[in-house]
Amino acid sequence: MAEFDVDLFVIGGGSGGVRAARIAASHGARVMIAEEYRMGGTCVIRGCVPKKLFVIGSHVHQEIEDAAGFGWTIPGATFDWPTLIANKDKEIARLEAAYTANVEKAGAQIVKARAVIGDPHTLRLSDGKTVKARYILIATGGAPNHGMTIAGIEHVISSNEAFHLKALPKRIVIQGGGYIALEFAGIFAGFGSDVTVIYRGDNILRGFDEDVRTHVRSELEKRGITIITGATVTRVDSHGKDVTSHLSNGASLASDQVMFAIGRHPNVANLGLENAGVAINPHNGGIAVDAWSKTSVPNIYAIGDVTHRSNLTPVAIREGHAFADTVFGNHPVQVDHANIPTAVFCQPEIGSVGLTEARARAAFNVVEIFKTTFRPIKATMSGRDTRVLMKLVVDGLTDRVLGCHIVGDDAAEIIQAVAIAVKMKATKADFDATMALHPTAAEELVTMRSPSARYVREAAAE
Ligand SMILES: Cc1cc2nc3c(=O)[nH]c(=O)nc-3n(C[C@H](O)[C@H](O)[C@H](O)COP(=O)(O)OP(=O)(O)OC[C@H]3O[C@@H](n4cnc5c(N)ncnc54)[C@H](O)[C@@H]3O)c2cc1C
């Protein structure tokens, strides 16, 4: 009898786990993958995909408004939330089926059960079975935080529930200043809700470039979203259909719905990590891994959000693929986590890659900033009060472009292409040598001639 039932047991059928299972199986490994909820994981079921569908749907409102300046009259446009939800659910079910089929086609076996580690080679499944595996891959993802327990927390929803609301809230209070909070703020505002964002810090989007933070805040406010900073929700009371959020600054706000999007934690609880001696990273609470995604136990690996490195779908997929190639494909690969492009699908969108101005100035002796804000061509006819921001952060000594930050329509699409140049260590001279494509917003990236600021680090100047 074989020593192990399978060569690889993957815990979690999300972005990373599915990729790892498929690639390992294609390398000839006997693979089993456990999923306790729905195949596809956060991204497909209650993350990137349904979120983007909601963003697209909510943006139609703005397109209808903007159409008037171009001569269109669109009478009687109405929006029906249940139709949106039903069509979204249909698409997510289609994707879930496609994920399931692709895993099975690759030769991996799916078990619809919760898996817990019993010892370094044993998995206990919620259906009562036990499986012996040569390798274990933990790809259990993350889950929303609700923060400190406050009175009335049971009336608060997270992004998970926001995808299944029975009705569009007329008024919604969203606590959080990160990308999920702001994307949902834009979604609900686009569909017509009255949106208030509450954030404890002094400005939204911590970690993003300061110019981006300021610009986006003003754009969201222009679109009618109220942003209250320096405050938290301390209590939530429910009175029938109404909920009241009490804030730390003494104010209270009535709404139909309260949503918290204040961060996510890695799914490490009750996984049996202690049974195998898998260590937690004390700095971020995720599973501690090395550059090969190997945990403190040599035959157990972890990838994706559960490691809390860079919580994005393409990163989880890359990590899963690299793990499978390394362990089963005789092709060792480490994932390069530098210069990962990111987007925030708030409205207007943010696209960002590389260093912020603050990070560059902390790390480089001379930093040059090229920055422009301008009215996009569409706004000249629609009359919309909006501006695009484009910013390049450049190493003043080598001319290398260290970062690029864009706020405006299609920023995410633009930044994906710019990320190739940044990854290739393109210089500002390379950008300048590239012919502009007219008329676009992105042409500004290759036509910014003079720096708007140049910073020389004091130590370097001495
Ligand atoms: C609202 C929202 C919007 C997002 N938008 C974006 C975006 O625009 N772009 C982007 O790149 N990323 C986005 N993300 C992040 C992205 O979804 C995650 O980074 C990605 O899904 C991580 O993949 P993963 O494989 O690590 O984990 P997940 O996709 O979370 O998969 C983990 C799976 O493991 C299962 N599981 C957990 N424990 C067990 C167990 N013990 N046994 C069996 N199964 C288990 C879970 O049910 C889940 O299906 C978003 C996330 C959210 C919440």
Side-chain angles (χ1 to χ4, degrees), residues 93-121:
R94 187 189 70 79
L95 287 173
E96 184 185 7
Y99 267 71
T100 303
N102 286 341
V103 169
E104 288 172 344
K105 221 173 0 180
Q109 186 189 341
I110 298 171
V111 283
K112 293 304 294 289
R114 179 170 173 81
V116 171
I117 297 172
D119 67 41
H121 289 286

Side-chain angles (χ1 to χ4, degrees), residues 11-17 34-38 40-43 46-48 51 113-115 139-142 159 163 179-180 183-184 264 267 271 303-306 311-314 316 345:
I11 313 178
S15 306
E35 172 52 56
E36 66 176 345
Y37 181 53
R38 293 177 67 181
T42 304
C43 173
R46 45 195 182 188
C48 337
K51 178 270 304 278
R114 179 170 173 81
T140 50
S159 57
F163 289 117
Y179 82 97
I180 294 177
E183 289 176 343
F184 274 96
R264 293 174 61 81
N267 274 335
L271 260 185
I303 52 150
D305 284 11
V306 75
N311 296 341
L312 293 167
T313 290
F345 296 96

Side-chain angles (χ1 to χ4, degrees), residues 217-425:
R217 181 173 184 162
S218 114
E219 288 287 327
L220 296 183
E221 285 171 341
K222 278 190 229 169
R223 281 163 170 77
I225 294 172
T226 303
I227 299 178
I228 300 173
T229 48
T232 55
V233 178
T234 54
R235 198 179 90 225
V236 178
D237 295 332
S238 163
H239 333 267
K241 280 179 73 185
D242 267 17
V243 263
T244 305
S245 302
H246 299 273
L247 308 189
S248 55
N249 63 8
S252 56
L253 295 165
S255 66
D256 310 297
Q257 203 69 248
V258 182
M259 172 176 165
F260 282 8
I262 55 175
R264 293 174 61 81
H265 61 265
N267 274 335
V268 293
N270 307 318
L271 260 185
L273 298 179
E274 62 292 348
N275 299 333
V278 175
I280 294 291
N281 179 340
H283 303 294
N284 66 16
I287 293 180
V289 287
D290 66 12
W292 302 100
S293 294
K294 191 192 285 187
T295 70
S296 51
V297 181
N299 70 304
I300 303 183
Y301 287 69
I303 52 150
D305 284 11
V306 75
T307 64
H308 223 33
R309 283 177 282 186
S310 187
N311 296 341
L312 293 167
T313 290
V315 178
I317 291 174
R318 266 298 160 92
E319 290 169 356
H321 202 128
F323 154 79
D325 280 348
T326 301
V327 176
F328 297 103
N330 199 21
H331 173 51
V333 190
Q334 286 185 355
V335 175
D336 179 1
H337 289 91
N339 291 320
I340 296 170
T342 55
V344 180
F345 296 96
C346 51
Q347 299 170 43
E349 236 166 67
I350 305 170
S352 194
V353 66
L355 298 184
T356 61
E357 178 181 323
R359 290 216 167 143
R361 287 173 58 185
F364 288 81
N365 286 336
V366 182
V367 173
E368 289 184 342
I369 302 300
F370 296 79
K371 189 167 68 177
T372 178
T373 72
F374 56 94
R375 200 166 184 216
I377 190 168
K378 188 174 178 185
T380 60
M381 294 265 283
S382 69
R384 181 169 295 281
D385 178 14
T386 184
R387 292 185 77 76
V388 174
L389 167 73
M390 297 217 171
K391 177 169 179 179
L392 292 177
V393 180
V394 176
D395 179 349
L397 295 181
T398 64
D399 199 38
R400 188 177 154 195
V401 176
L402 302 170
C404 177
H405 309 278
I406 303 173
V407 182
D409 282 352
D410 303 321
E413 303 288 346
I414 299 169
I415 213 71
Q416 176 67 86
V418 174
I420 301 171
V422 172
K423 192 82 184 163
M424 290 177 75
K425 305 187 169 41

